[in-house]
Each structure stands twice: as structure tokens, then as C-alpha cells.
Amino acid sequence: MNMEQRRLMQQIYEAGFVIDDVLLYLDTHPCDEEALAYYESFRKLYAKLVKDYTIHFGPLRVDQVDVSNHWAWVKTPWPWEMEGC
């Protein structure tokens, strides 16, 4: 895994953590507009980061696989098979 791939994966982990954390808060404060906006901004960031990762390094989830001419899901190492993860 090269440095750019590691950096992008770390950003995905961090954005996912923020989303999980703010969702827990929203469970008890569902009308907090500031928290809702914060969630929405990180939801969009997470989607962008995953899209960028998929474009450059391959899919992270099975629903991101392009099946235009063959099943490529198993062509690259799985995220947990990366060195140092």
C-alpha cells in the first residue's frame, strides 16, 4: 500500500468515525440543526473519499464493483489484507 493509498484510507476511517459518533448524538438530539449539518457535511466527505479511493485503488465494498466485462472484486487485495492495516 503506497503512502497516498494509506492517507486516503486513514481519511475514510476518520470520516466514518465522525459519522458514527454524530449519529449516536443525533439519536438523543434529533432536532439539533447544527449537528444535522455537521453529519451531512461528513456524510458527503465520506462519500467523496470512498469514490476517490475506488477510482484510484479499487472498490472497498462489493456494491462498488464495475461488472461491465468481468467480475473484478477479487483481483486486488482486500482492505484488511493490506500491509500495516
Side-chain angles (χ1 to χ4, degrees):
M1 184 182 283
N2 67 41
M3 289 303 290
E4 177 62 20
Q5 188 175 6
R6 286 179 194 258
R7 184 190 65 75
L8 194 51
M9 196 72 233
Q10 183 65 33
Q11 289 177 325
I12 290 169
Y13 290 148
E14 290 170 3
F17 179 84
V18 170
I19 289 169
D20 289 343
D21 197 44
V22 76
L23 284 174
L24 291 172
Y25 175 81
L26 286 168
D27 283 345
T28 58
H29 301 81
C31 298
D32 186 332
E33 291 183 22
E34 188 176 334
L36 288 166
Y38 189 71
Y39 163 77
E40 185 61 17
S41 69
F42 271 90
R43 188 191 63 76
K44 287 179 182 177
L45 174 62
Y46 182 85
K48 181 193 177 307
L49 291 169
V50 169
K51 182 178 179 182
D52 290 348
Y53 187 96
T54 301
I55 289 168
H56 293 98
F57 305 111
L60 291 172
R61 297 186 319 248
V62 72
D63 64 330
Q64 298 167 327
V65 175
D66 178 13
V67 294
S68 57
N69 60 0
H70 66 282
W71 186 242
W73 177 245
V74 296
K75 292 271 186 196
T76 59
W78 296 68
W80 57 86
E81 292 178 325
M82 305 293 183
E83 182 181 328
C85 288

